[in-house]
Structures are given as C-alpha cells and as structure tokens.
Amino acid sequence: MDFYRADEWTPKAVEWSEPPLTTAEKYKNQNAVALIPGVGFSISGHRLGFGKGHYDRYLKKHPQIFRVGIAYAFQIQLQDWTIEDHDEPMHLILTPSGVWSVGRR
C-alpha cells in the first residue's frame, strides 16, 4: 500500500474517484492521513474489516499515520466487541452525519 499526493482526482467507473497514479507523486508516510473503510466500527475506534488484515498490517508498520475510519452512521456500534492483538484502532470515525472522536489504546 502506498500513499500519493493527490492534487486532482479522476472519476472512475465505480462510485468514487482516485488520483491519477501516472502523474501522482509518491508520498512519504510522515504526516499522512489514511481514510480507512470498514464493515463496522465501535465507538472506541475499533474496526471490523473485510477479513484479510491488509490495513491492520500496514498501520502496525506505520504508527505515525493518522487513521480516519469512513462509515455510515448505521455502521457505528455502541458496544465494543472482542478485539485481537493485531487490530489497529482509528483516531476518528467520519460519517455523513458527523465525526466520532475515539480514544486510542
């Protein structure tokens, strides 16, 4: 997984846009913000992912990255679930209806 400086965005066939990687400058990981999707999030910032562990492994290697979970409000769970040692929590969760500030472990 790499970060790129994104000054312009290109619409894609699916419902999102992405920076054109042919002209994007590869960004060093210091002072970066990662927008991270999930199936669900707890109010304490834990993420239920898609089961492969890609984000957790990457975030474990780069703890300086500020983590923002991206979700709809219905994906926020008021109760925590059992977390595992490799689970990496978010700093914030962003929904269309607001921002959830969460604690870090």
Side-chain angles (χ1 to χ4, degrees):
M1 188 175 335
D2 294 312
F3 284 92
Y4 291 87
R5 182 180 173 116
D7 293 327
E8 61 180 85
W9 293 81
T10 305
K12 291 297 186 188
V14 193
E15 297 178 15
W16 61 82
S17 299
E18 65 183 32
L21 299 183
T22 55
T23 60
E25 172 187 342
K26 193 169 182 180
Y27 189 72
K28 306 293 186 249
N29 290 327
Q30 64 274 18
N31 302 318
V33 174
L35 303 178
I36 302 174
V39 174
F41 293 89
S42 71
I43 58 171
S44 63
H46 292 100
R47 174 182 165 270
L48 179 61
F50 299 95
K52 304 285 187 197
H54 296 297
Y55 287 102
D56 289 320
R57 284 192 301 275
Y58 187 83
L59 294 171
K60 181 77 75 181
K61 290 181 196 174
H62 303 282
Q64 76 281 8
I65 294 175
F66 191 82
R67 302 122 187 249
V68 179
I70 302 296
Y72 291 104
F74 70 84
Q75 292 175 276
I76 309 296
Q77 301 295 311
L78 299 179
Q79 295 181 0
D80 236 337
W81 50 77
T82 303
I83 59 169
E84 299 180 24
D85 289 338
H86 64 270
D87 290 337
E88 291 293 315
M90 303 294 106
H91 292 101
L92 293 175
I93 302 170
L94 181 63
T95 70
S97 58
V99 177
W100 295 73
S101 178
V102 297
R104 296 279 320 266
R105 63 177 159 157

